[in-house]
Amino acid sequence: MIDQLYRKAVLTVAERKPIEQLIRARGWGLAQRFVAGETSAEALRAVKELSQEGILSNLDLLGEFIESPAQCDEFAQNVLNLLDAAHAQGITPYVSIKLSSVGQGKTEGGEDLGLKNARRIVGKAKGYGGFVCLDMEDHPRVDQTLAQFRTLVGEFGAEHVGTVLQSYLYRTEADRDALDDLRPNLRIVKGAYLEPESVAMPDKADVDASYRRLVYAHMKAGSYVNVATHDESIIADVKHFVLAHGISKDAFEFQMLYGIRRDLQKQLAQEGYRVRAYIPYGRDWYAYFSRRIAERPGNAMFVLKGMLRG
């Protein structure tokens, strides 16, 4: 409950325009702990640096809830350009996109613009042997995102497109069960949006228990799991689970955020586990940065100390 109250307080404050203006004006240097840069060139440089340590990457051009169809198309084109740039540098592209950023909920020619642009992105990624993860957003978008995910898997295959499930939503275990026929590639996260208690679990213990159930169920179903957490107790439990059930290290991977617990990322890679860092980049970094601060008080103290020094 304390974790929920802390997250709610931080995200509520972050929504205030004076706070946003202050952080945008003085906080970029601090945001660089969590954000690889503002350009694709900087992001791809981070990919290469991590690869030298045996760590894979998941690139995310930041931006969400973009308003106009033209801006959505522009955002999609920027992602397509990223795929081209990665391929040109010999990098097999692995990217995440938020469907809201490419037009989900907006209609063009009788078709959802988000799905139309996602098709362009997943199609190009598949041509390069790459992968696209459809990020999950706040709870009103879950149904449409899962429906569009199902459509894209049918068109491009589960080896080229995956999605995310959030353990703090009460509905998520049923959502995972309903996807089993696809043998989907799923990224399991706890959830970072400010959600009402009517749809999301307020207690950390319940969220953690749900997280474990989701990971274990997906592993037992024989589908690929991205265990996206920095929680060392969960990581230890997953290690024990796969050992006890004879699950190959090729059947899952650990995913962590860029700039957070780099020591743990290196350690897991050295132990022979597949590890992937989620690398966000771009100019629209404030919302992402706010969610990272809301995850733990230590992140907030890091920012406050940095701004006082600035």
Side-chain angles (χ1 to χ4, degrees):
M1 180 66 75
I2 292 174
D3 298 271
Q4 174 79 356
L5 291 173
Y6 168 74
R7 184 169 71 243
K8 182 176 181 180
V10 171
L11 293 176
T12 299
V13 169
E15 289 175 353
R16 296 177 180 174
K17 280 299 178 185
I19 298 297
E20 178 176 352
Q21 290 167 357
L22 176 64
I23 298 294
R24 284 189 179 278
R26 302 183 61 185
W28 171 239
L30 302 170
Q32 287 179 294
R33 171 176 173 176
F34 308 105
V35 180
E38 294 191 338
T39 68
S40 61
E42 291 170 299
L44 291 171
R45 186 157 55 244
V47 170
K48 291 182 176 180
E49 290 171 357
L50 287 171
S51 70
Q52 294 175 357
E53 298 172 348
I55 297 171
L56 303 168
S57 297
N58 175 5
L59 288 163
D60 180 20
L61 173 59
L62 295 172
E64 52 194 278
F65 305 115
I66 296 172
E67 292 301 322
S68 76
Q71 288 175 315
C72 293
D73 287 339
E74 180 182 4
F75 190 94
Q77 185 59 53
N78 287 335
V79 177
L80 293 168
N81 293 343
L82 170 65
L83 296 173
D84 288 335
H87 178 70
Q89 294 188 34
I91 298 169
T92 301
Y94 189 121
V95 302
S96 285
I97 61 170
K98 289 180 172 59
L99 288 170
S100 68
S101 67
V102 295
Q104 186 183 68
K106 299 174 176 62
T107 302
E108 183 178 88
E111 181 181 20
D112 184 82
L113 181 59
L115 180 58
K116 178 180 177 181
N117 277 325
R119 281 192 174 105
R120 297 167 62 205
I121 293 167
V122 178
K124 174 157 282 193
K126 180 176 181 177
Y128 291 147
F131 186 85
V132 178
C133 179
L134 307 179
D135 272 345
M136 193 59 72
E137 302 178 66
D138 53 349
H139 79 274
R141 292 182 178 270
V142 173
D143 284 329
Q144 188 173 19
T145 297
L146 292 179
Q148 293 179 344
F149 169 61
R150 180 172 285 277
T151 296
L152 291 166
V153 170
E155 294 177 5
F156 299 100
E159 65 272 27
H160 295 290
V161 61
T163 193
V164 179
L165 294 181
Q166 302 171 109
S167 72
Y168 70 170
L169 296 180
Y170 290 111
R171 61 174 290 169
T172 299
E173 288 186 66
D175 287 336
R176 196 218 64 80
D177 292 345
L179 293 171
D180 262 345
D181 62 299
L182 300 179
R183 297 184 59 83
N185 181 313
L186 295 180
R187 184 174 196 254
I188 308 299
V189 304
K190 293 184 181 181
Y193 289 89
L194 182 59
E195 298 282 18
E197 291 187 16
S198 59
V199 301
M201 303 170 193
D203 293 334
K204 181 180 184 299
D206 293 333
V207 176
D208 289 353
S210 171
Y211 190 98
R212 288 177 171 87
R213 289 194 299 271
L214 288 164
V215 169
Y216 299 161
H218 210 55
M219 286 181 166
K220 287 193 286 188
S223 298
Y224 196 85
V225 191
N226 303 286
V227 184
T229 184
H230 304 94
D231 188 324
E232 290 189 72
S233 66
I234 289 178
I235 290 170
D237 286 348
V238 169
K239 287 180 177 181
H240 291 141
F241 183 88
V242 299
L243 187 63
H245 291 81
I247 295 170
S248 169
K249 289 181 178 178
D250 292 331
F252 71 99
E253 64 188 54
F254 291 110
Q255 291 195 359
M256 299 185 189
L257 300 174
Y258 177 80
I260 299 179
R261 292 306 311 268
R262 294 180 182 180
D263 58 329
L264 184 55
Q265 294 179 32
K266 292 178 186 177
Q267 176 190 321
L268 290 168
Q270 289 167 358
E271 291 173 0
Y273 293 100
R274 187 175 293 152
V275 181
R276 192 179 304 274
Y278 183 92
I279 303 180
Y281 77 97
R283 297 183 181 278
D284 191 12
W285 50 266
Y286 180 74
Y288 176 84
F289 183 55
S290 298
R291 290 196 292 273
R292 298 293 74 77
I293 300 308
E295 285 177 339
R296 55 187 295 270
N299 290 346
M301 292 304 298
F302 166 78
V303 172
L304 288 173
K305 289 177 181 178
M307 294 189 72
L308 288 173
R309 286 198 300 268

